[in-house]
Amino acid sequence: AQENIMFWLQVELFRTIDDVQVAVGWAQFIFSNYIQSGAALPVNIPGTITKAIQNALREKCDSKKPFGRLEEITTIFDSAQQEVFVLIKRDSWRRFQQSEGAKNIRSTIFKLLNRDLFVDPDVSKLNLKLQNRFDLTSDETLVRMFSCALEKKKSVMHGKLYLAKRHLCFYASVFGFRTVLCLHISTITEILIVTEPGRRPSRAVNASMNREFLEDSLVVTTNDQRYVFRHILPSCDQCRYTLSKLRSRIFHANRPSFPTTPSNRPHSPEHDREFLTETDWEELRRGAKVSHHKKGDVIVEEGSDVRVLVNVVRGVCAVVKDAERDVPLRLCGEGEMFGEAAFVQGGPATTSVIAWDDYVIVYALTQQFVETLATVNPRLTVRFYKFLAGLIADRLRGNNVTTVPQIVPEARTKEKEWKASSNYGDTTLVGSLFLEHSTLAFQAQIFSATIQNTLPLEDIAEVQLSEQNIVINMNDSRKVIFGCSKGEEVKSEIAMHLMNAHESAPPPPLDASPSSDICVNWKPFLQLITTRSIETDQVILFQGDKSPILFQIATGQVVIRHTAVDGTVQAVDHLGVGDVFGHLPFCRGPSTYSAIATSHTTLFCLERDSVDRLADSERARLVVMFFRFLLAQLSTQLKE
């Protein structure tokens, strides 16, 4: 593909020319070498683009006529360059990725970047992480860090133990439930190592590990509390020795006393509301499956249809392709999760996950368990889905995703279908009007809510046309009005169906009620939705905006733009009626794009605070369904 790459580079240089005479000569050179018939290095572009370039050269670069403007000449090959770029991306680049040279490059880079896995060589970064995580002052620094498990009631929480100059800190995160402990070392009254018989979990990596063994645990006692830390790595003795030394220094320095109670310090209310409570965790723990693995064990196999969300609680896991197991695509350390997209949508796994350390422990939550939990405890399910949505949003933001996931309408068997509108309160909904069996139905989508009005044909007394509206008079004296530009066609189709219905018995209708049950069920949710009118060229959402509002276009059009670091602005998506945007700030964090109205636009707006209030009410089941809709869109983007 050297001709494609050389052509692309030539056009890049061609754009930098600032002299018309030089640009004309260079344009003719590029055309003769890469595009015209019999060229030395011909590139593969469509004939329409070739013809457009020929016309442009005759018009702007003919020596017998005045030359065109410089900016017109330097853009002659833009469409051809874009076509060549797509060819390189889809063909040459993929073949290069599979080559031995590319594999060697990736392997070398990976080894260089991961020489000290999860041990940051920059101590200042670790100190900053410690200070932010536990709300410590800037003069507090890390001394040693250990991997361990804190005993809590009937379970243990695997995480990290941080020994700083003046504090003992512990942090763990499992499925969104955080355990944060921060003790001032001056409050510690006793430090002991307790050796007692123990037994490894029943799902150990092999049967020989199930025998009894002597286990060392670190017991730290304060004035009013006792904390037990188990499975300390690399050594329980090292941990006790370091903690004892720090405690001695503090007492010898005659430091003032500090509060005697541990603090579970929140980072910020906005951040904490994305995490689960201890009661939530106890409920999820009953359904989570714990598994233990040795290095190289396959936890998730590529191609398998698994719907599990996996949390690493000890060790490191690697996400790999089966063809390149020595070069991980991603590493998951303690507290991290994988399998979000498969958990939401299912389907064959696109990668494998293997144990990367000598001993790995993971917790797994199945989709079936969470679906069952949604019927028993919908409020907990809402909190779990909110955490999961925020997690996927962070992943998308880290991958610099700027496109917008869209609603994929459910496939239905429809005899006839027309684009139509209908009034819902003070709002005009745009959707589809269709004939299905012996019913006339209107259907529109507002976020996760499907608004449907179904009219049995046998209950229709008369169909009238009024300008762009279809007025349907029912036998019970009701009037139903739909906006549709093809009123004559709809009227004739209804008349034909009514005639056929008299000649032969119609099949039983799917729903004989004037409006389907789903419309009634969604009413509390729809009351949260507000409308907003936007003028042409008005900015709806700024890049970097953190306003937790989800938007859906009711009428009009919106362009999605992304501003790069160098200041260049690119239109990455064009949205129309029914499209939804604003997913990332709604879930958590800033938007990665701007949204601007390109015509007069009406928007449906859903605020995060309104959804949170509904989740705390008896209607939490509706919020569960909404977050399933949101997660499906986000996970689609994550897979792509």
Side-chain angles (χ1 to χ4, degrees):
Q2 62 174 351
E3 68 280 357
N4 290 334
I5 296 173
M6 290 175 65
F7 172 76
W8 189 89
L9 290 172
Q10 288 279 2
V11 176
E12 285 293 296
L13 293 172
F14 177 62
R15 285 205 197 92
T16 64
I17 298 173
D18 56 4
D19 183 85
V20 173
Q21 295 283 354
V22 177
V24 168
W26 203 326
Q28 293 170 346
F29 168 78
I30 292 176
F31 181 78
S32 61
N33 276 270
Y34 297 99
I35 297 177
Q36 78 174 11
S37 178
L41 296 169
V43 293
N44 186 12
I45 58 176
T48 54
I49 295 179
T50 302
K51 189 172 182 180
I53 292 173
Q54 288 175 332
N55 294 335
L57 288 174
R58 278 197 297 266
E59 183 180 343
K60 299 179 177 64
C61 300
D62 191 346
S63 58
K64 298 178 182 179
K65 297 189 295 186
F67 294 139
R69 297 198 311 272
L70 180 64
E71 55 269 24
E72 294 177 342
I73 297 173
T74 54
T75 58
I76 288 175
F77 300 102
D78 283 6
S79 57
Q81 188 195 36
Q82 180 62 30
E83 187 72 24
V84 166
F85 173 80
V86 172
L87 287 174
I88 294 173
K89 180 180 178 181
R90 292 179 178 174
D91 181 43
S92 308
W93 172 245
R94 290 181 180 176
R95 286 190 283 112
F96 169 73
Q97 285 182 308
Q98 300 298 324
S99 67
E100 289 299 323
K103 292 179 183 178
N104 293 336
I105 291 172
R106 288 199 297 273
S107 178
T108 303
I109 292 174
F110 178 81
K111 290 174 182 177
L112 288 173
L113 294 179
N114 295 277
R115 283 177 295 185
D116 300 313
L117 190 61
F118 297 106
V119 178
D120 198 330
D122 188 353
V123 180
S124 63
K125 290 184 180 179
L126 280 176
N127 289 334
L128 184 63
K129 184 177 182 180
L130 174 77
Q131 295 156 11
N132 292 336
R133 179 167 282 178
F134 300 100
D135 194 22
L136 302 176
T137 57
S138 58
D139 61 339
E140 185 66 293
T141 56
L142 183 66
V143 177
R144 287 294 299 272
M145 183 169 63
F146 298 87
S147 176
C148 69
L150 175 64
E151 191 176 87
K152 292 194 68 176
K153 296 181 181 178
K154 299 179 181 180
S155 63
V156 292
M157 298 300 296
H158 291 270
K160 293 287 186 183
L161 179 65
Y162 302 88
L163 298 182
K165 284 184 178 180
R166 298 185 295 277
H167 290 85
L168 176 151
C169 305
F170 176 83
Y171 181 88
S173 176
V174 183
F175 293 127
F177 168 58
R178 297 184 307 158
T179 302
V180 183
L181 174 68
C182 184
L183 301 174
H184 196 283
I185 294 177
S186 66
T187 66
I188 297 175
T189 58
E190 189 176 32
I191 306 170
L192 295 175
I193 290 183
V194 177
T195 303
E196 56 187 4
R199 179 175 291 276
R200 296 192 187 276
S202 58
R203 287 187 289 272
V205 293
N206 57 59
S208 64
M209 294 176 66
N210 283 329
R211 64 179 184 276
E212 290 191 357
F213 65 101
L214 295 179
E215 179 184 25
D216 287 344
S217 300
L218 182 71
V219 180
V220 177
T221 307
T222 63
N223 293 333
D224 57 356
Q225 197 75 16
R226 182 172 179 268
Y227 303 94
V228 180
F229 298 94
R230 301 185 181 276
H231 316 307
I232 298 177
L233 293 176
S235 167
C236 190
D237 290 324
Q238 290 179 20
C239 185
R240 178 182 180 276
Y241 174 80
T242 305
L243 184 57
S244 300
K245 282 289 185 182
L246 293 172
R247 183 166 171 268
S248 299
R249 287 178 188 174
I250 289 177
F251 278 107
H252 284 109
N254 196 23
R255 296 288 178 94
S257 62
F258 285 78
T260 59
T261 57
S263 61
N264 294 311
R265 306 171 188 263
H267 305 288
S268 64
E270 293 79 9
H271 190 61
D272 271 6
R273 71 180 180 180
E274 306 299 341
F275 290 87
L276 304 176
T277 64
E278 186 168 359
T279 306
D280 293 340
W281 160 241
E282 289 297 328
E283 188 74 24
L284 289 173
R285 187 176 64 85
R286 297 190 187 99
K289 297 179 181 179
V290 186
S291 58
H292 304 254
H293 305 272
K294 58 185 178 182
K295 188 171 184 178
D297 283 355
V298 178
I299 302 171
V300 176
E301 189 170 358
E302 184 177 340
S304 60
D305 188 1
V306 291
R307 299 194 180 195
V308 293
L309 181 65
V310 183
N311 197 129
V312 183
V313 295
R314 164 156 289 193
V316 180
C317 295
V319 180
V320 300
K321 298 292 286 185
D322 284 345
E324 303 177 24
R325 292 212 170 187
D326 294 335
V327 187
L329 304 175
R330 174 188 166 207
L331 292 173
C332 300
E334 294 172 2
E336 292 190 76
M337 281 181 275
F338 57 86
E340 305 96 327
F343 177 81
V344 174
Q345 290 190 312
T350 56
T351 57
S352 295
V353 180
I354 61 174
W356 194 253
D357 273 359
D358 292 332
Y359 186 51
V360 174
I361 304 175
V362 298
Y363 287 177
L365 271 181
T366 64
Q367 189 191 64
Q368 183 180 5
F369 169 75
V370 177
E371 291 293 327
T372 305
L373 186 66
T375 61
V376 180
N377 192 343
R379 296 181 185 181
L380 167 57
T381 310
V382 168
R383 292 193 289 273
F384 176 72
Y385 280 160
K386 283 165 63 177
F387 160 73
L388 189 57
L391 183 72
I392 297 177
D394 288 342
R395 288 274 305 278
L396 290 172
R397 192 177 294 106
N399 294 335
N400 294 318
V401 174
T402 55
T403 53
V404 180
Q406 298 310 329
I407 300 173
V408 179
E410 182 183 356
R412 303 184 60 153
T413 304
K414 304 167 185 176
E415 299 173 27
K416 289 286 184 177
E417 182 177 1
W418 304 271
K419 186 176 181 181
S421 62
S422 178
N423 290 333
Y424 184 83
D426 298 331
T427 305
T428 299
L429 303 180
V430 178
S432 297
L433 185 66
F434 54 88
L435 284 169
E436 186 177 45
H437 300 298
S438 59
T439 61
L440 176 68
F442 172 80
Q443 181 173 300
Q445 187 93 7
I446 304 183
F447 300 111
S448 57
T450 301
I451 312 302
Q452 182 168 308
N453 190 7
T454 305
L455 306 174
L457 294 180
E458 60 186 16
D459 292 343
I460 297 176
E462 185 183 13
V463 180
Q464 297 177 339
L465 300 181
S466 174
E467 297 180 353
Q468 294 291 318
N469 294 329
I470 303 172
V471 181
I472 299 178
N473 298 313
M474 307 297 292
N475 291 331
D476 56 5
S477 302
R478 288 185 301 116
K479 281 189 177 182
V480 182
I481 302 174
F482 298 111
C484 183
S485 60
K486 298 184 178 180
E488 287 287 352
E489 183 180 339
V490 176
K491 182 179 179 180
S492 61
E493 286 290 338
I494 293 174
M496 187 179 300
H497 275 70
L498 288 173
M499 187 182 301
N500 293 336
H502 290 297
E503 295 176 356
S504 60
L510 296 179
D511 182 7
S513 60
S515 60
S516 64
D517 292 340
I518 193 168
C519 183
V520 177
N521 291 337
W522 279 110
K523 280 187 178 179
F525 176 81
L526 295 173
Q527 290 172 357
L528 308 178
I529 298 171
T530 59
T531 57
R532 185 182 300 180
S533 182
I534 306 294
E535 298 301 324
T536 305
D537 295 331
Q538 184 177 340
V539 178
I540 304 165
L541 182 67
F542 288 94
Q543 186 169 330
D545 194 349
K546 295 183 180 180
S547 302
I549 304 175
L550 197 62
F551 302 96
Q552 182 173 7
I553 302 173
T555 61
Q557 293 181 328
V558 172
V559 62
I560 301 299
R561 292 177 183 169
H562 175 71
T563 304
V565 179
D566 58 3
T568 57
V569 180
Q570 182 182 9
V572 295
D573 217 339
H574 293 272
L575 309 182
V577 175
D579 290 337
V580 180
F581 60 95
H583 299 77
L584 298 190
F586 183 87
C587 294
R588 183 168 63 207
S591 173
T592 56
Y593 53 77
S594 299
I596 302 164
T598 56
S599 64
H600 182 77
T601 302
T602 304
L603 298 174
F604 295 127
C605 305
L606 180 64
E607 296 186 11
R608 174 67 178 268
D609 290 340
S610 301
V611 176
D612 289 342
R613 286 194 296 270
L614 185 63
D616 293 333
S617 69
E618 297 301 321
R619 301 288 185 174
R621 180 68 180 169
L622 294 180
V623 184
V624 171
M625 298 170 69
F626 166 74
F627 270 100
R628 285 177 186 159
F629 153 82
L630 188 64
L631 285 168
Q633 292 200 324
L634 292 173
S635 59
T636 298
Q637 282 297 96
L638 192 60
K639 281 187 174 182
E640 291 175 356

